[in-house]
Amino acid sequence: MMGIIVPLCPLRRTQIASRCTLLLLLLLFNSISQTQALSAPTTATYTTGTSTSTSSVRSTMEASKRATATLIAESLGLESVVGWAPSLPSLGVGFVEAFEPPPDATKPLLSWLSLLSISTAGIAAASAGIPEPTQDQVQLTAWSGPLTDVPHLITRLSVVHAADESNESLRLMMDFRPRLDAGYQDDPEPTSRAAFVKAGVRRDYDTAFFTPETRQWRETVLASCQNDHGAVESADTPSAKVFSRVGSGKGDWSVCHGPLYLDVTMPHTETSLQTCLTACQDATDRWQTWVKAANTDTDDASSWMNSRLIYDRDNQVRAELFSNAVGEYEELLYGDADADADKGRVIALADAGRLDMIGHNDIGRGEGDYY
């Protein structure tokens, strides 16, 4: 199976030494990206000053997540999205590989799968000689289909290299994003009709996905990162919220992240990286178990109201997370969320998936049997 590799370009024109060099690098990058197979590890090479270096750490992270993406795609019958986002610039510091169900899929368990890899090393090298920290980031994102209540999945690994190469930090982020507002941020004791409805959804999710055993697994991962690698858990929770409703009640604001959200930073070593890679694989294995156990022929799945509520909130969550990602990528690439929104938007769009994801919105495909 071949995965599409879409290179991204966050470099500004004022940072490019010469147009000739740019053209040569462009041709070289295209030649490499068009001949790589999905199963083969991608090695990210970039220019730093007058020499070319290879990020073995980034290559290791890419290889691990690419293998995971391959297994998911094969087990769920996904196809690589050939020619995805063709308007993206061809020279850059990363790529997106995307997968989706075939066009004739009737009840897809998964709507979109993407592997994103980006690096800021080239930008730091072109920053007027001012030393800057660089970062390699690799993430896997899966959007479940609307006929199941299986949470969406995201796992992300980031390695930040100090400007003087004195140290490196490793950041692990994982989340299972709930499909409906289960009120995990609310008071656990419901006092209103809407709160009782959300408590019912929360009970169902805690029985099917966020079980005591799964919560203990999350705590075990956190303890291992803290005790074995000196990790510090982020004190900030994600700010992304959407206004959605559950059942026929009035809408309410709800967070996009789930109760098992994890975000920790630790010194980067070979052992800490292996711990994080294992944690990401364990998270994906748990999520795949839920997906494979999902039944799209149940009363809930065939319920117009239930699937529509999931569909509506999925679209809201996607839009909110995309909007946040634009600023995040700009800040990651340039240290300024307002530096060049178009560049951040290019990356965010490539990773976010189709506007008309199969199973989420069939407009333009001549279908519409779901809703």
Side-chain angles (χ1 to χ4, degrees):
M1 178 183 297
M2 294 291 293
I4 178 166
I5 299 180
V6 182
L8 309 174
C9 180
L11 293 179
R12 295 168 173 164
R13 281 194 290 261
T14 57
Q15 298 172 322
I16 301 175
S18 71
R19 295 181 179 274
C20 293
T21 301
L22 171 62
L23 180 59
L24 290 174
L25 290 175
L26 171 61
L27 295 174
L28 175 61
F29 192 93
N30 279 340
S31 175
I32 295 174
S33 63
Q34 291 173 2
T35 57
Q36 284 184 311
L38 177 64
S39 58
T42 296
T43 300
T45 59
Y46 43 83
T47 300
T48 54
T50 58
S51 63
T52 300
S53 62
T54 300
S55 172
S56 60
V57 175
R58 183 182 177 200
S59 181
T60 298
M61 295 189 298
E62 288 173 357
S64 176
K65 291 195 179 294
R66 178 176 286 106
T68 299
T70 302
L71 291 176
I72 295 175
E74 291 178 347
S75 65
L76 298 179
L78 305 180
E79 299 177 347
S80 66
V81 187
V82 179
W84 171 242
S87 62
L88 289 179
S90 297
L91 176 66
V93 293
F95 61 81
V96 171
E97 295 178 3
F99 304 86
E100 66 179 351
D104 58 351
T106 56
K107 296 181 178 181
L109 296 175
L110 195 66
S111 292
W112 188 263
L113 175 68
S114 65
L115 169 63
L116 169 68
S117 178
I118 55 179
S119 172
T120 65
I123 296 174
S127 60
I130 301 175
E132 295 182 9
T134 62
Q135 179 166 327
D136 295 314
Q137 176 176 303
V138 182
Q139 74 179 37
L140 184 71
T141 307
W143 293 94
S144 300
L147 296 185
T148 79
D149 56 0
V150 176
H152 304 303
L153 169 72
I154 180 170
T155 63
R156 176 190 299 165
L157 286 175
S158 307
V159 177
V160 179
H161 314 270
D164 59 1
E165 300 183 356
S166 60
N167 61 78
E168 294 179 332
S169 61
L170 174 63
R171 183 179 180 184
L172 165 67
M173 191 277 277
M174 303 187 298
D175 193 18
F176 304 104
R177 293 165 173 162
R179 311 299 296 282
L180 292 175
D181 178 10
Y184 283 106
Q185 78 279 12
D186 297 343
D187 191 315
E189 297 298 329
T191 58
S192 66
R193 181 180 183 277
F196 273 102
V197 173
K198 289 191 283 188
V201 176
R202 187 164 62 248
R203 181 178 60 251
D204 292 342
Y205 285 173
D206 288 347
T207 300
F209 311 119
F210 309 130
T211 63
E213 188 276 333
T214 304
R215 290 173 182 268
Q216 182 56 50
W217 163 80
R218 188 262 188 199
E219 294 305 311
T220 299
V221 172
L222 174 60
S224 176
C225 291
Q226 290 176 328
N227 299 334
D228 299 339
H229 309 296
V232 177
E233 184 174 15
S234 174
D236 300 324
T237 56
S239 60
K241 294 183 178 181
V242 295
F243 191 85
S244 58
R245 61 190 178 96
V246 176
S248 58
K250 294 182 179 180
D252 193 9
W253 287 100
S254 63
V255 297
C256 298
H257 65 279
L260 303 187
Y261 176 84
L262 180 66
D263 184 357
V264 292
T265 301
M266 66 203 81
H268 171 233
T269 64
E270 290 186 7
T271 55
S272 66
L273 177 59
Q274 187 56 53
T275 295
C276 292
L277 289 172
T278 301
C280 289
Q281 186 60 57
D282 288 347
T284 305
D285 289 345
R286 287 177 179 274
W287 174 83
Q288 281 191 277
T289 299
W290 301 338
V291 172
K292 293 178 180 179
N295 187 349
T296 58
D297 294 320
T298 63
D299 291 340
D300 282 344
S302 60
S303 165
W304 182 91
M305 175 61 77
N306 193 69
S307 60
R308 184 71 200 194
L309 288 173
I310 290 177
Y311 164 79
D312 287 346
R313 190 171 190 276
D314 280 351
N315 285 337
Q316 290 177 310
V317 170
R318 287 183 63 211
E320 177 68 12
L321 293 177
F322 162 75
S323 178
N324 289 352
V326 173
E328 289 175 2
Y329 290 137
E330 284 308 311
E331 188 170 1
L332 171 65
L333 298 174
Y334 298 121
D336 181 358
D338 299 320
D340 188 342
D342 288 340
K343 299 279 176 60
R345 189 172 292 109
V346 165
I347 302 175
L349 276 172
D351 187 50
R354 294 189 190 278
L355 177 63
D356 60 338
M357 280 185 184
I358 295 178
H360 278 257
N361 185 351
D362 290 310
I363 295 174
R365 294 184 178 274
E367 301 174 8
D369 298 334
Y370 304 149
Y371 314 113

